[in-house]
Amino acid sequence: MAGWMVKAADRCEPLMRLLQEELISGPLVNADETPVQVLDEPGRANTTNSYMWVFRGGTPGKEAVLYRYSPTRSGDVPQEILQGYRGYLQTDAFSAYDSLDGQVRLVGCFAHVRRNFVKVIDARGKGVKKTGSAEVALDYIRKLYAIEKAGRQQGLSPPELFDFRKEKAEGVLNEFKAWIDNRVGLTPPKGLLGKALNYALNHWPKLIRYVEDGHITPDNNAAENAIRPFVVGRKNWLFAGHPNGAHASATLFSLIETAKACGLEPYRYLRYLFEKLPGAQTVEDHEALLPQRTTPERLALAMPWV
């Protein structure tokens, strides 16, 4: 069965190239990566970590989700995937993405800022109630997310959300930054609170960049949610037996998660894809099979028995 999946993924390789084009066609790309163990990798011990990268971007509402297996966590991977891209790239603070600075506009993640302050509270232990610096920081972040929620509830378009943030969020961000500037000099830098403050301060220009475009959110949850199915699966199958299997996993995860992002039922889409794929000869034929180029109604008409 693993061999069948590898062969099926090989036939889908033309779609991966087209998905990559879809990925970089929009205003924003979210990216993340997670370790994966791969056996029988030439020149490497079986216990060495390799990585599965994920990129999500393209046309809003019809995003491409592209997985890419690599034995390394170097900046060469995002450089290759995002070649020619000139939009926003939202990630965590991993330094590999810094190699694209200047080519793209890097955006930070307030979810990571929040987690650092939550660690401060968790370290106190259960039952310890206190209103300190960590709580003040979380309150600022809570206000920022309340603004985002209000914008969603009003159904604001990206340009409208840009104006809404200018009016509502920029003042909160300025207050938060002034508070961090004041507090960081009074806090030991190696403690949990000091690390949380310095993380926010060091990445501040990237963290506030989300207000520049209504397509961007304050956090990188889009990428983290995209990679979660792989992380959950890894708890069951533990490792890939060979690099070929890891590459095949990346292809199949890409197709399934892109189908879901485009509002398609994954099983129905895969049935449709593998029914039509043998007849695809040209770039146009393969392009027509992308999840972005089909609809639930078309799948239902093509395969009413599924």
Side-chain angles (χ1 to χ4, degrees), residues 13-89:
E13 188 57 33
L15 275 73
M16 293 303 100
R17 293 191 290 270
L18 294 170
L19 270 186
Q20 188 171 344
E21 294 176 9
E22 290 286 328
L23 175 78
I24 63 175
S25 67
L28 171 67
V29 172
N30 295 86
D32 199 8
E33 73 290 327
T34 190
V36 58
Q37 188 177 359
V38 180
L39 310 184
D40 293 335
E41 199 161 29
R44 308 184 80 206
N46 287 342
T47 54
T48 305
N49 270 341
S50 297
Y51 291 88
M52 187 66 76
W53 298 68
V54 68
F55 301 83
R56 177 175 177 138
T59 304
K62 289 281 188 178
E63 288 90 351
V65 182
L66 186 67
Y67 287 74
R68 178 62 59 88
Y69 161 71
S70 174
T72 74
R73 203 184 180 198
S74 77
D76 293 343
V77 178
Q79 284 278 8
E80 177 199 345
I81 296 295
L82 301 178
Q83 185 176 4
Y85 177 63
R86 295 294 183 269
Y88 290 94
L89 173 62

Side-chain angles (χ1 to χ4, degrees), residues 192-209:
L192 286 176
L193 179 59
K195 290 179 179 178
L197 290 167
N198 279 288
Y199 178 94
L201 188 61
N202 292 338
H203 300 288
W204 193 256
K206 298 175 186 175
L207 289 168
I208 64 173
R209 193 161 280 160

Side-chain angles (χ1 to χ4, degrees), residues 200-244:
L201 188 61
N202 292 338
H203 300 288
W204 193 256
K206 298 175 186 175
L207 289 168
I208 64 173
R209 193 161 280 160
Y210 80 92
V211 301
E212 295 179 5
D213 192 306
H215 292 99
I216 312 173
T217 65
D219 55 55
N220 195 36
N221 287 352
E224 295 192 10
N225 290 339
I227 209 166
R228 185 170 291 117
F230 182 85
V231 174
V232 172
R234 186 181 57 200
K235 293 179 180 179
N236 293 288
W237 44 258
L238 301 179
F239 56 84
H242 190 275
N244 289 345

Side-chain angles (χ1 to χ4, degrees), residues 265-272 275 299-300 302-306:
E265 199 284 313
Y267 175 72
R268 187 184 290 267
Y269 170 70
L270 289 179
R271 285 285 302 261
Y272 172 81
E275 179 77 18
L299 296 186
M303 311 189 78
W305 59 88
V306 178

Side-chain angles (χ1 to χ4, degrees), residues 147 159-172 211-212:
I147 292 167
E160 291 170 337
L161 185 56
F162 170 82
D163 294 333
F164 187 70
R165 286 170 173 168
K166 282 283 184 183
E167 178 187 352
K168 303 290 185 181
E170 284 197 350
V172 178
V211 301
E212 295 179 5

